[in-house]
Amino acid sequence: MLLQQSTWIEIGQFLERSRTVVIPIGSNEQHGPTGLLGTDWMCPEIIAHEAQKNADILIGPTFNIGMAQHHLGFPGTISLRPSTFIAAIGDWTRSLAVHGFEKILFLNGHGGNIATIEAAFSELYAEASFARRPAGFALKLCNWWDLEGVNDLARAQFPTGHGSHATPSEIAITQWAYPDSIKTAQYSPQIAPSGPIREALDFRARHPDGRMGSDPALATPQKGGELVALAANGLVKAVDAFSREAIPA
Amino acid sequence: MLLQQSTWIEIGQFLERSRTVVIPIGSNEQHGPTGLLGTDWMCPEIIAHEAQKNADILIGPTFNIGMAQHHLGFPGTISLRPSTFIAAIGDWTRSLAVHGFEKILFLNGHGGNIATIEAAFSELYAEASFARRPAGFALKLCNWWDLEGVNDLARAQFPTGHGSHATPSEIAITQWAYPDSIKTAQYSPQIAPSGPIREALDFRARHPDGRMGSDPALATPQKGGELVALAANGLVKAVDAFSREAIPA
Amino acid sequence: MLLQQSTWIEIGQFLERSRTVVIPIGSNEQHGPTGLLGTDWMCPEIIAHEAQKNADILIGPTFNIGMAQHHLGFPGTISLRPSTFIAAIGDWTRSLAVHGFEKILFLNGHGGNIATIEAAFSELYAEASFARRPAGFALKLCNWWDLEGVNDLARAQFPTGHGSHATPSEIAITQWAYPDSIKTAQYSPQIAPSGPIREALDFRARHPDGRMGSDPALATPQKGGELVALAANGLVKAVDAFSREAIPA
Amino acid sequence: MLLQQSTWIEIGQFLERSRTVVIPIGSNEQHGPTGLLGTDWMCPEIIAHEAQKNADILIGPTFNIGMAQHHLGFPGTISLRPSTFIAAIGDWTRSLAVHGFEKILFLNGHGGNIATIEAAFSELYAEASFARRPAGFALKLCNWWDLEGVNDLARAQFPTGHGSHATPSEIAITQWAYPDSIKTAQYSPQIAPSGPIREALDFRARHPDGRMGSDPALATPQKGGELVALAANGLVKAVDAFSREAIPA
Amino acid sequence: MLLQQSTWIEIGQFLERSRTVVIPIGSNEQHGPTGLLGTDWMCPEIIAHEAQKNADILIGPTFNIGMAQHHLGFPGTISLRPSTFIAAIGDWTRSLAVHGFEKILFLNGHGGNIATIEAAFSELYAEASFARRPAGFALKLCNWWDLEGVNDLARAQFPTGHGSHATPSEIAITQWAYPDSIKTAQYSPQIAPSGPIREALDFRARHPDGRMGSDPALATPQKGGELVALAANGLVKAVDAFSREAIPA
Amino acid sequence: MLLQQSTWIEIGQFLERSRTVVIPIGSNEQHGPTGLLGTDWMCPEIIAHEAQKNADILIGPTFNIGMAQHHLGFPGTISLRPSTFIAAIGDWTRSLAVHGFEKILFLNGHGGNIATIEAAFSELYAEASFARRPAGFALKLCNWWDLEGVNDLARAQFPTGHGSHATPSEIAITQWAYPDSIKTAQYSPQIAPSGPIREALDFRARHPDGRMGSDPALATPQKGGELVALAANGLVKAVDAFSREAIPA
């Protein structure tokens, strides 16, 4: 069930049978010479939309801009500063809590988001902790590649050249979902270098075409479809486990 | 051309022929008993995506959560506070300006966003004004219903019962784009009351089913399609005029 | 009754017969070659002080600095950024609410303030909406030129050359109140150009003497007096209507 | 010369002969059973307006709301939080600096403002310090009672019962300037108690009628006039000394 | 008793017999050619740690970075902006209040901290004042040199050349506590100049070696030991008096 | 070399031979029934102070309060909210960068700090990225347990009962450094439970005595000494490697 394609009355009815909602969250940033700028928010969106086709889970709108300051040296990247990102995650969460959602699972598509999302969770929990009261909600960060079995499949599909940015697995997923937007390009070296992540100019100097440790030409739509099917299944399980989790009195 | 379905190299090439980008912006909020929660961000997205099919204009990702605090009494609504909204619009704009975009047109789908978007523009311009330097970019807010001819068409389509929230025109657009998500419901009175907009409890007490002055059952997918076609055409013209506008030296 | 010329005991007594207060709000900014820098906060102050002479309404201190970033290219302009303006309106409002004021009418004198004042209202209401509680107060923005009959009179007084900044109507009001500070200057063209409002350097390039679409030499103290009398009367009516307005339970 | 009753052209001309501006700053807060709520912003305004009658000094608009959180238990008090106050002083200062003002003297009328005004100065200077550049302006806080000779006169006028809040000296000044707003009341003890300043409920419990250590009935308009004359003279000297002060290269 | 060298269970037991805690607070900033960068946080820490050896008082961790923007022109200085300082003092205080501490005494070692610490107190109290509730805690700022008898002793020890920054008294205290870190240097003039405090470049131009009005060579470890003994004794008395202070109902 | 026990002149000299500084950073929070509240900031301080005895590295003052909101249910815990923590890390870093430090290594002692410290780094880098300029500094987060060989030693010392909070390794380090503050207590179960980290009440319900997965009674001062020696050596190597790292042009 997609929240945005529902009426408020339907969401009210859903809340009578579940208090859990999934928010796909990612980033809009360069993904090397062939990857789509939207890769990191499209992947969790694709997986979450697929998952709700066969399970009674609720997917909210996609949080499509995250923490990508290091990619700002490449055209098309849009980034929030961490302080803005924390404020926005806060308002999304507080809005959902107003309606009675008690378990909010952020399905994340961007490694660079992890630290700030966790900081945002702490900022939200701290409101309750300073006030000596229960938060009223539990928050969970779940990267799509950490869903059950997904990392194993990706390693099997791409034993070399997977890397950590503009990876063949994420590009395969977008190829499966947007077959009309498959791009090709020449690049070298075949497997890109790795390195620390600092400001945008530093990043571009280290990674001139945007890739980090990856060979995205290994991606195929078929491999993407396999990943989506497995991840969608894993998401349903993760939502179920999170929903069942008891909160201490 | 959709930014998110492009590579950074393609955006770099686009910047050589244009410095203008369109950002669909809206809100995720209750739209009465039959309107979709995503109506206000889907409408500008639908129109903008349609417009780029036949014109060389660039559409960015959709800014899908806006200022909807007064709708928080209805399940599914997600709102940013104005201060968060201003910060987020700021970071989107600064990111685009880093790449050399000089004209940023926000195609808006939610009346409740207007004041805060304009405040955000002033916040951004003020950085330049306090520093005695040019901003380097021009910002434009354009509501889809103010695109050339659109208001006239809506008035002709819905001479009564248009209202100001959960209107038949916006619902018609989502019906055209998402025909599988057309909802029906009984409601009364046929045309909803109007009133001031204050906090969420006040709003819900005044507008028990969420509508303001509207009769959304007048919507049809066909009327939506007519509105989209006209608005898409108007957007191309608006982008063209904005792109041509000279900035004083 | 002027709050600032009252004791706290007198305000306590007033609160027993009314829960409404008027805050004149404006801006301190260039007003063309002959307009006073204080025009936009003086006008609502003049009107509000006049209104309370013959009616039992309460006028608070004047909020004299608003959102005027686009005028910073002209000496004497003082502006708050929107984020600061929102914070300050918030603290004024919260202070008044502490005392039990339930209706706060901001009588505004500057078009450039409108968006940010409305954003500030939403920021305040959002505190209540996120907390699922009533706000405890209602806020109203009222531009002095929108008071009953005022726009019609101004149009009759100045059929051409009224424009939108450094208008003859606002200058006439300050001439009536401060006859020792009437200024004259040569300027051309007789009616100033109009244009978009962006950062300060852009604004000054488009409007070299500061006027927008206006011919302020049309102002006379007598016309100002007529406007003040009508507006003061309109304010009393507006306060009365706002005070009587019921809040839904 | 009053900035608000001048045109931008006149301020531009003033800047050719001086780079100094005076901002009266105070608070709108309870002043005991007979003192006006506006006392603390009216006193510096009265003195500054008087001073500019006989000297070529520039007085800006009055910053009329300060840090008065401890008085919020008394109707009519309006307070900024320190964080808001710092932001607003910052924007006033940055605006004036844009125009080339290099010496900004805040003539203060409220003891409770001092700490936050100094913190605001540090916040502004810190921008320069972190950027390893000159600030471009010097800021001075001057309480009106510290102007040359004023404290001595007040002590001579009120050898007992002066106290620290709702003092006969400040009330005398408002009596001189607003003779139609002189208030009387019974109160006891004749000289109010003193104590620490904490939150509003604590303050009101310690100081039930709002006075701190004072007997405001000692005030007379004539004494007020003497204070204003001396303070106005002292302000002119203070402005002159500040204007002449050299800034190290 | 040192909080940081205790377990949470021991602090819980302490709270059963006292609700008062002392926080040493200072600054890490240049202290002239011979003073240690940590002087201003070491002094209150040394005194507080000494005081708890013979009295049942609780000393928390040292808040070691304060408001030192004007010293940023000298290597090793670390400063918070006032806005950050206010936020951090706020979170320290709110944390301690969560546990039931009702009296928090900040033992301060840096004159430049005073204004911002007081602003921070007002920011905290304002939360309660705007909410019409008791704060639940009382805050006290106490400079170590203002403890009973300390200023008199310092004046007796250093009748000339004490000054206001890099003073022989504070340096003597660090010499007593850190005898292995006693530094010597040539400097002139023997007594440093005084002047206003503005941004860092201005400060360094006025005070090339960092001293203000002082001759730190007068310091000896023995004099430091005398100051520590007296101040530690004074702190115990101050804590006792503060603990006994009644809060109005 | 300890920054706080040096003069500004000595730091200026150090900067001529190195641009690297180490900041011990931790948290003041409950550490189970026997662990000291200061454990998490004492451990990196102890290790860093030990390391500088035999190597020419510079250690700054200890950042002793971090992100510990989940421990606020236990007396003595002091926490910053993530937003405050980010602001404070920002000002520390900007201060050090003013002096020319180009490599800043935060030696961390608290797992709960990691996400927010990384978010703070991104916030700082983003300033440069949005301005299209180099940051001028590189930041590194290094947990003391990740220093070369340390985790291996801890696993060898404590094959069972190490856990993740109030671990025997961190408690051993404080026992070695503060042998007079070794605490004992009865607790059960011998190895504490693990679980998710949410708000303070939730945490205390899951972990009634504060431990997570650990048996701190395994700690001995001797094991602590072994850990310190190894970690101090590892820190010297880490500083050396970081100092040598080239920044791309």
Side-chain angles (χ1 to χ4, degrees), chain D residues 176-199:
Chain D
W176 175 79
Y178 297 94
D180 295 342
S181 295
I182 298 176
K183 319 280 168 133
T184 56
Q186 300 296 323
Y187 52 80
S188 75
Q190 198 63 24
I191 297 181
S194 292
I197 294 180
R198 291 175 187 152
E199 78 271 28

Short mmCIF file of all heavy atoms in Angstrom, two decimals, chain D residues 176-199:
data_model
loop_
_atom_site.label_atom_id
_atom_site.label_comp_id
_atom_site.label_asym_id
_atom_site.label_seq_id
_atom_site.Cartn_x
_atom_site.Cartn_y
_atom_site.Cartn_z
N TRP D 176 8.36 62.99 32.48
CA TRP D 176 8.71 64.24 31.79
C TRP D 176 8.26 64.18 30.33
O TRP D 176 7.73 65.14 29.79
CB TRP D 176 10.22 64.47 31.90
CG TRP D 176 10.71 65.65 31.13
CD1 TRP D 176 10.63 66.97 31.51
CD2 TRP D 176 11.33 65.65 29.84
NE1 TRP D 176 11.17 67.78 30.55
CE2 TRP D 176 11.61 67.00 29.50
CE3 TRP D 176 11.69 64.64 28.93
CZ2 TRP D 176 12.23 67.38 28.30
CZ3 TRP D 176 12.30 65.01 27.74
CH2 TRP D 176 12.55 66.36 27.43
N ALA D 177 8.45 63.03 29.71
CA ALA D 177 8.16 62.92 28.28
C ALA D 177 6.69 62.65 27.99
O ALA D 177 6.17 63.06 26.96
CB ALA D 177 9.02 61.80 27.66
N TYR D 178 6.03 61.93 28.89
CA TYR D 178 4.62 61.58 28.68
C TYR D 178 3.81 62.03 29.90
O TYR D 178 3.30 61.19 30.66
CB TYR D 178 4.47 60.07 28.46
CG TYR D 178 5.16 59.57 27.22
CD1 TYR D 178 6.45 59.06 27.27
CD2 TYR D 178 4.52 59.64 25.98
CE1 TYR D 178 7.10 58.61 26.13
CE2 TYR D 178 5.16 59.19 24.82
CZ TYR D 178 6.45 58.68 24.91
OH TYR D 178 7.07 58.24 23.78
N PRO D 179 3.67 63.35 30.09
CA PRO D 179 3.00 63.83 31.30
C PRO D 179 1.54 63.39 31.39
O PRO D 179 0.98 63.35 32.49
CB PRO D 179 3.14 65.35 31.19
CG PRO D 179 3.42 65.63 29.75
CD PRO D 179 4.17 64.44 29.23
N ASP D 180 0.95 63.02 30.26
CA ASP D 180 -0.44 62.56 30.32
C ASP D 180 -0.55 61.13 30.79
O ASP D 180 -1.66 60.61 30.97
CB ASP D 180 -1.09 62.67 28.93
CG ASP D 180 -1.19 64.13 28.49
OD1 ASP D 180 -1.10 65.02 29.36
OD2 ASP D 180 -1.33 64.36 27.28
N SER D 181 0.57 60.46 30.94
CA SER D 181 0.53 59.04 31.33
C SER D 181 1.15 58.81 32.70
O SER D 181 1.69 57.74 32.97
CB SER D 181 1.27 58.20 30.28
OG SER D 181 0.59 58.24 29.05
N ILE D 182 1.06 59.80 33.59
CA ILE D 182 1.58 59.61 34.94
C ILE D 182 0.56 58.83 35.77
O ILE D 182 -0.61 59.18 35.80
CB ILE D 182 1.91 60.97 35.60
CG1 ILE D 182 3.02 61.66 34.77
CG2 ILE D 182 2.35 60.78 37.06
CD1 ILE D 182 3.38 63.05 35.25
N LYS D 183 1.04 57.74 36.38
CA LYS D 183 0.14 56.85 37.12
C LYS D 183 0.48 56.89 38.61
O LYS D 183 1.63 57.12 38.99
CB LYS D 183 0.33 55.40 36.63
CG LYS D 183 0.48 55.24 35.13
CD LYS D 183 -0.84 55.27 34.39
CE LYS D 183 -0.60 55.40 32.89
NZ LYS D 183 -1.38 54.49 32.08
N THR D 184 -0.52 56.65 39.41
CA THR D 184 -0.29 56.55 40.86
C THR D 184 -0.95 55.27 41.36
O THR D 184 -1.90 54.77 40.75
CB THR D 184 -0.87 57.75 41.62
OG1 THR D 184 -2.27 57.84 41.31
CG2 THR D 184 -0.19 59.05 41.21
N ALA D 185 -0.42 54.78 42.46
CA ALA D 185 -0.98 53.56 43.07
C ALA D 185 -0.50 53.45 44.49
O ALA D 185 0.52 54.03 44.87
CB ALA D 185 -0.55 52.33 42.27
N GLN D 186 -1.25 52.71 45.30
CA GLN D 186 -0.80 52.36 46.64
C GLN D 186 0.08 51.13 46.56
O GLN D 186 -0.23 50.20 45.80
CB GLN D 186 -2.01 52.04 47.53
CG GLN D 186 -2.98 53.19 47.68
CD GLN D 186 -2.35 54.38 48.38
OE1 GLN D 186 -1.55 54.21 49.30
NE2 GLN D 186 -2.68 55.58 47.94
N TYR D 187 1.15 51.11 47.26
CA TYR D 187 1.94 49.89 47.32
C TYR D 187 2.66 49.81 48.65
O TYR D 187 2.87 50.83 49.31
CB TYR D 187 2.93 49.77 46.16
CG TYR D 187 3.83 50.97 45.95
CD1 TYR D 187 4.96 51.19 46.75
CD2 TYR D 187 3.57 51.87 44.92
CE1 TYR D 187 5.78 52.28 46.52
CE2 TYR D 187 4.38 52.95 44.69
CZ TYR D 187 5.50 53.16 45.49
OH TYR D 187 6.31 54.22 45.28
N SER D 188 3.02 48.62 49.04
CA SER D 188 3.81 48.43 50.24
C SER D 188 4.59 47.14 50.10
O SER D 188 4.15 46.23 49.39
CB SER D 188 2.89 48.36 51.46
OG SER D 188 2.24 47.10 51.48
N PRO D 189 5.76 47.02 50.70
CA PRO D 189 6.40 48.04 51.51
C PRO D 189 6.82 49.24 50.63
O PRO D 189 6.87 49.11 49.40
CB PRO D 189 7.62 47.33 52.08
CG PRO D 189 7.96 46.31 51.05
CD PRO D 189 6.65 45.86 50.49
N GLN D 190 7.12 50.33 51.26
CA GLN D 190 7.45 51.54 50.52
C GLN D 190 8.67 51.31 49.61
O GLN D 190 8.71 51.76 48.48
CB GLN D 190 7.73 52.71 51.49
CG GLN D 190 7.65 54.08 50.83
CD GLN D 190 6.25 54.38 50.28
OE1 GLN D 190 5.25 53.83 50.74
NE2 GLN D 190 6.17 55.22 49.27
N ILE D 191 9.65 50.58 50.17
CA ILE D 191 10.80 50.20 49.34
C ILE D 191 10.73 48.69 49.15
O ILE D 191 10.67 47.92 50.10
CB ILE D 191 12.13 50.59 50.03
CG1 ILE D 191 12.19 52.13 50.16
CG2 ILE D 191 13.32 50.08 49.21
CD1 ILE D 191 13.46 52.65 50.79
N ALA D 192 10.72 48.30 47.87
CA ALA D 192 10.49 46.89 47.52
C ALA D 192 11.71 46.04 47.86
O ALA D 192 12.82 46.55 47.95
CB ALA D 192 10.17 46.78 46.04
N PRO D 193 11.50 44.70 48.02
CA PRO D 193 12.62 43.81 48.30
C PRO D 193 13.47 43.57 47.05
O PRO D 193 13.04 43.83 45.93
CB PRO D 193 11.93 42.52 48.73
CG PRO D 193 10.62 42.55 48.03
CD PRO D 193 10.22 44.00 47.97
N SER D 194 14.70 43.09 47.30
CA SER D 194 15.58 42.67 46.21
C SER D 194 15.72 41.16 46.23
O SER D 194 15.20 40.49 47.13
CB SER D 194 16.96 43.32 46.37
OG SER D 194 16.85 44.72 46.17
N GLY D 195 16.45 40.59 45.26
CA GLY D 195 16.61 39.14 45.23
C GLY D 195 17.20 38.70 43.91
O GLY D 195 17.41 39.52 43.01
N PRO D 196 17.46 37.40 43.78
CA PRO D 196 18.02 36.88 42.53
C PRO D 196 16.97 36.91 41.42
O PRO D 196 15.77 36.97 41.70
CB PRO D 196 18.38 35.44 42.88
CG PRO D 196 17.44 35.05 43.97
CD PRO D 196 17.18 36.32 44.75
N ILE D 197 17.45 36.87 40.19
CA ILE D 197 16.56 36.89 39.03
C ILE D 197 16.58 35.54 38.36
O ILE D 197 17.61 35.09 37.87
CB ILE D 197 16.98 38.01 38.05
CG1 ILE D 197 16.75 39.37 38.72
CG2 ILE D 197 16.19 37.91 36.75
CD1 ILE D 197 17.13 40.56 37.87
N ARG D 198 15.44 34.88 38.36
CA ARG D 198 15.33 33.56 37.74
C ARG D 198 14.11 33.54 36.81
O ARG D 198 13.88 34.52 36.12
CB ARG D 198 15.26 32.49 38.84
CG ARG D 198 16.62 32.40 39.56
CD ARG D 198 16.63 31.48 40.75
NE ARG D 198 17.91 31.59 41.45
CZ ARG D 198 18.10 31.36 42.74
NH1 ARG D 198 17.09 31.00 43.51
NH2 ARG D 198 19.29 31.48 43.28
N GLU D 199 13.35 32.47 36.79
CA GLU D 199 12.22 32.41 35.86
C GLU D 199 11.06 33.28 36.36
O GLU D 199 11.04 33.73 37.50
CB GLU D 199 11.78 30.96 35.67
CG GLU D 199 10.94 30.36 36.78
CD GLU D 199 11.77 29.72 37.87
OE1 GLU D 199 12.93 30.14 38.09
OE2 GLU D 199 11.25 28.79 38.54
#
